[in-house]
């Protein structure tokens, strides 16, 4: 004889009693700890520090940290979480330059210089370069649209006038023969505001899969280049 079939699992479960859902809900302290665990490390530390200094412990003899106790209102805990998350977001904001990139301070006192805007940080006393010379520079390049440093190096060597860098930078080194834009001299430091058509144009630079949000230099952005002309690189 076959044994009687077991009833379906759904039929085995007892019907929920009134208030069972509320009883199954985690207590406030457990919910608070779960929310803390979902925060990134800096935010979690900030929330725990805020909770510890908030005096939420129930008695003078309590040894547990108040951030894990059930004391304090839900609104207060939410405020701590929001404040900690904001602090973490601020800490994670992009820095002016990536590690390893030279970050020379940019000058903002520009004057018109042909198609560029020029700020002479320091006028050099050495010889100016000529097209075809191998030169050495220290430089920092920023996207004007974001203000972020996207490139920078010390002791960078290239042949000027050979198309190895953006046209606006070469123009800012060699000059255009006018009094407004003379060539830079050795030892001099300049900041150039280069318009998009003499930089990376409508395509931008280093765009991942062609997405404008991923570009080092956004499409249509001018660039700001601060450079020190060290001298010939031979």
């Amino acid at each position: 004889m076959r044994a009687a079939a077991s009833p379906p699992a759904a039929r085995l479960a007892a019907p929920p009693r009134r208030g069972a859902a509320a009883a199954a809900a985690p207590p406030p302290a457990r919910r608070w700890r779960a929310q803390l665990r979902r925060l990134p490390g800096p935010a979690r530390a900030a929330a725990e520090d805020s909770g510890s200094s908030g005096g939420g412990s129930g008695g003078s003899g309590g040894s547990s940290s108040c951030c894990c106790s059930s004391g304090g209102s839900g609104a207060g805990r939410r405020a701590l979480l929001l404040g900690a998350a904001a602090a973490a977001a601020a800490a994670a904001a992009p820095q002016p330059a990536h590690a390893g990139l030279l970050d020379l301070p940019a000058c903002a006192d520009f004057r018109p210089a042909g198609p560029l805007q020029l700020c002479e940080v320091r006028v050099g006393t050495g010889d100016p370069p000529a097209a075809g010379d191998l030169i050495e520079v220290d430089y920092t390049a920023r996207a004007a649209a974001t203000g972020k440093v996207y490139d920078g190096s010390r002791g960078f060597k290239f042949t000027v006038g050979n198309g190895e860098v953006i046209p606006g930078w070469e123009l800012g080194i060699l000059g255009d023969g006018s009094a407004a834009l003379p060539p830079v001299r050795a030892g001099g430091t300049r900041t150039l505001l280069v318009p998009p058509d003499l930089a990376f144009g409508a395509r931008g630079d280093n765009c991942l899969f062609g997405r404008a949000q991923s570009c080092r230099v956004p499409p249509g952005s001018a660039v700001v280049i601060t450079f020190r002309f060290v001298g010939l690189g031979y």
Side-chain angles (χ1 to χ4, degrees):
M1 179 185 295
R2 281 194 306 180
S6 299
R11 295 180 185 174
L12 291 175
R17 296 190 302 273
R18 292 187 64 183
R30 190 176 303 167
R31 290 199 302 270
W32 170 246
R33 287 195 295 268
Q35 289 172 319
L36 279 179
R37 282 195 295 270
R38 285 195 293 269
L39 288 174
R44 184 165 60 249
E48 289 174 349
D49 289 344
S50 300
S52 298
S53 61
S57 118
S60 60
S63 60
S64 62
S65 171
C66 68
C67 73
C68 297
S69 72
S70 59
S73 67
R77 286 193 293 272
R78 282 193 297 274
L80 284 175
L81 282 170
L82 289 172
Q95 298 303 306
H98 297 290
L101 294 182
L102 182 63
D103 191 358
L104 295 173
C107 171
D109 188 18
F110 291 110
R111 60 175 174 80
L116 309 176
Q117 295 285 319
L118 169 67
C119 176
E120 291 278 17
V121 180
R122 180 179 179 182
V123 177
T125 57
D127 294 330
D133 283 342
L134 179 69
I135 66 171
E136 180 179 343
V137 297
D138 305 331
Y139 75 97
T140 295
R142 292 175 172 84
T146 63
K148 295 179 183 177
V149 175
Y150 70 87
D151 201 2
S153 179
R154 194 180 298 277
F156 174 59
K157 296 181 181 182
F158 66 97
T159 302
V160 66
N162 202 33
E164 296 178 17
V165 299
I166 59 173
W169 190 9
E170 290 194 317
L171 182 60
I173 294 171
L174 295 172
D176 63 359
S178 70
L181 186 55
V184 67
R185 290 184 172 272
T189 300
R190 284 180 170 178
T191 296
L192 307 172
L193 178 58
V194 181
D197 58 314
L198 292 176
F200 300 102
R203 75 181 190 278
D205 181 53
N206 261 24
C207 302
L208 185 64
F209 303 120
R211 297 175 181 170
Q213 298 86 346
S214 68
C215 300
R216 288 196 314 174
V217 179
S221 174
V223 298
V224 179
I225 301 176
T226 300
F227 71 96
R228 181 186 304 118
F229 174 37
V230 179
L232 296 181
Y234 301 107

